Amino acid sequence: MIHLHTAPTGNGMKPLILLEELGLPYTLIPVDLKRGEQKEAAFSRLNPAQHIPVIRDDSNDLTLVESGAILLYLAEKTRRLLPADPRERALAYHWFFSQITNVDPCGRTLATLDRLGGGSPELTEGPIQTVRRFWQEAQAALEHADYLGGSYSIADIVAYTFVRRHGVRFGFEDFGALVRWAERVRTRPAVQAAYGKFPAS
Ligand SMILES: N[C@@H](CCC(=O)N[C@@H](CS)C(=O)NCC(=O)O)C(=O)O
């Protein structure tokens, strides 16, 4: 059995969507970030860095943190939602790592600046440019394909949770093909089921 400790944030939703897509049996343990449950002793033993998401996979005696590592682990374990063909797989990796290493940290920086009262244009311009550049690239790819990298994969999952959470703020509605892609992802039964676990999100 897989146990997922998570919350309805961009990173937190990635493994929940994937578990729903894969149809694997799992238990969901919500972590209330506002109440600081991620800093409590029981959670800190699972992840000393005090971040969600975390999975525990009893079948492999494995506790795993980092949303990207969790998605790769589950996709490789089941051999699903990562293309088998090396070329297509490389393209899926491109989108997957570009989102996780370039775009996700920008969301975190901007959220921190928000908490501190906004931040000057000098501080926010760089992160906003990075997000928009990624979306321009994604928009160009999605004019010729339904999903990033061709077929639906974990690359779409990681990009989607960010768009859903931060899209409007970054002027996402200017990107037609990206908006249509987001709607395709949003209406997938597994994605609906995942967000349905956290109705307030
Ligand atoms: N690189 C990590 C980032 C995890 C992360 O930032 N988690 C946030 C929620 S999205 C968190 O747990 N924040 C709680 C805190 O900072 O106290 C991943 O992708 O899993």
Side-chain angles (χ1 to χ4, degrees):
M1 178 69 86
I2 292 172
H3 310 280
L4 170 63
H5 301 254
T6 201
T9 68
N11 289 317
M13 291 307 292
K14 296 172 190 171
L16 184 52
I17 292 173
L18 183 56
L19 284 165
E20 285 290 335
E21 292 282 4
L22 297 173
L24 291 174
Y26 71 93
T27 60
L28 172 63
I29 303 106
V31 179
D32 189 333
L33 299 180
K34 288 206 180 88
R35 286 187 46 219
E37 285 179 3
Q38 74 280 21
K39 297 193 163 66
E40 289 175 3
F43 187 85
S44 300
R45 276 193 291 279
L46 278 176
N47 182 8
Q50 302 180 325
H51 285 155
I52 57 94
V54 179
I55 62 161
R56 166 89 200 150
D57 184 352
D58 295 334
S59 72
N60 275 334
D61 188 22
L62 174 71
T63 301
L64 191 61
V65 305
E66 284 300 324
S67 61
I70 294 169
L71 262 62
L72 284 169
Y73 168 69
L74 293 173
E76 286 176 354
K77 178 181 162 117
T78 55
R79 295 172 189 270
R80 288 183 51 208
L81 293 190
L82 248 188
D85 173 72
R87 184 179 179 282
E88 279 184 30
R89 198 180 183 99
L91 291 175
Y93 282 152
H94 160 77
W95 294 109
F96 182 83
F97 286 107
S98 188
Q99 173 68 41
I100 284 184
T101 62
N102 298 328
V103 180
D104 283 347
C106 294
R108 195 174 175 88
T109 301
L110 290 165
T112 305
L113 289 172
D114 279 350
R115 264 203 310 280
L116 297 174
S120 64
E122 287 80 15
L123 289 175
T124 56
E125 192 185 322
I128 290 173
Q129 278 300 327
T130 299
V131 175
R132 288 184 71 84
R133 221 173 288 123
F134 176 84
W135 285 355
Q136 277 156 2
E137 204 187 324
Q139 163 85 5
L142 291 166
E143 274 163 7
H144 307 287
D146 280 351
Y147 294 103
L148 297 170
S151 53
Y152 183 68
S153 75
I154 56 173
D156 296 286
I157 294 176
V158 297
Y160 174 73
T161 65
F162 187 96
V163 163
R164 179 164 173 143
R165 198 163 170 81
H166 300 285
V168 173
R169 162 188 190 138
F170 291 109
F172 158 74
E173 62 280 3
D174 297 343
F175 295 87
L178 198 62
V179 170
R180 289 190 292 280
W181 159 85
E183 189 58 12
R184 276 194 290 282
V185 178
R186 188 189 71 78
T187 52
R188 291 179 68 86
V191 175
Q192 300 271 313
Y195 282 93
K197 307 272 178 190
F198 288 105
S201 67

